[in-house]
Amino acid sequence: MMESDLAEHRNQLADFVSRYEGTRLFSTSAQVVNFASALYNVSGSTSDPKVPGSTSWMGLLIAYQSKSSLCTIDVSGCYVTGPPPVGGNHPAFEVGGHMTTDSKGAVATGGSCYLMPLCKWHNSTSKNGVAFTHSKTCMLQLAGYMQAEPAATFMARFDGKEAGAIVYLSGEGLAYRALPEAGPKSSAMSALPDLPDDLAEDGVPLNHAILHRVEEDGETFYRIADSRTAS
């Protein structure tokens, strides 16, 4: 991966830590649903990484493509049928687009939104507030929404089953590993594969966030227990 791409992932993680350190990160889930009504781009949602790996929003849609008997997510192209594009790259499937029923693009923190295949033309911030119609209705409903969140941090908290997780910058972008015990940083590091020398120091990722699961006040959520973001 090019240094510019790694820098983008590094900045995403640093922004996530800056936004949410000291706050509750709600546990997350995804379910396949049929939804036919018009949808709007979520305002402030993060873009997909340039490389559509397993820890991208594109990767999440592809992973759930055939996981439900209800319907099958179509990853062959952008879902939007209107408004029609003017040039651009439609109908390519280039990003997993965060969508909401709110015309202002709002989603409550910890609330639910939808994820569906989009091209970059329709995923642009210039289309915020524009109602998208779509003939394809099979998509994902995501719970535990946090604004401008990388896919890796979302999936690190998936279903709230693990005691903890570490999200870190690898040679392929942001990656994560579940931690069966919410122990000290040293135990988290033992769960990781070897990292390139320029991304680690004494086996510790130069850029990482350790999340611990908390059960409190009848809720399950995560907190950022430790982090380091280095340029």
Side-chain angles (χ1 to χ4, degrees), residues 127-212:
K127 309 305 181 299
N128 287 0
V130 176
F132 289 168
T133 57
H134 50 99
S135 58
K136 298 172 183 177
T137 61
C138 191
M139 62 187 71
L140 284 179
Q141 185 177 43
L142 306 181
Y145 176 77
M146 309 298 288
Q147 189 181 46
E149 174 171 25
T153 58
F154 178 91
M155 286 185 273
R157 310 190 310 278
F158 208 77
D159 289 337
K161 293 179 179 178
E162 299 293 347
I166 179 171
V167 182
Y168 62 99
L169 185 66
S170 75
E172 300 300 321
L174 289 181
Y176 71 96
R177 286 291 180 97
L179 301 175
E181 298 180 2
K185 181 184 293 190
S186 58
S187 64
M189 297 309 108
S190 65
L192 300 182
D194 291 336
L195 291 172
D197 291 342
D198 59 340
L199 297 177
E201 185 175 276
D202 297 328
V204 178
L206 291 175
N207 296 270
H208 67 267
I210 295 177
L211 313 179
H212 286 177

Side-chain angles (χ1 to χ4, degrees), residues 1 5 9 48-54 56 58 172:
M1 180 176 289
D5 295 334
H9 289 281
D48 244 13
K50 288 183 172 63
V51 180
S54 60
S56 71
M58 287 182 72
E172 300 300 321

Side-chain angles (χ1 to χ4, degrees), residues 56-80:
S56 71
W57 298 115
M58 287 182 72
L60 187 61
L61 282 169
I62 292 169
Y64 271 79
Q65 182 180 2
S66 303
K67 277 195 173 183
S68 173
S69 59
L70 175 67
C71 60
T72 300
I73 298 171
D74 186 347
V75 296
S76 65
C78 177
Y79 268 30
V80 179

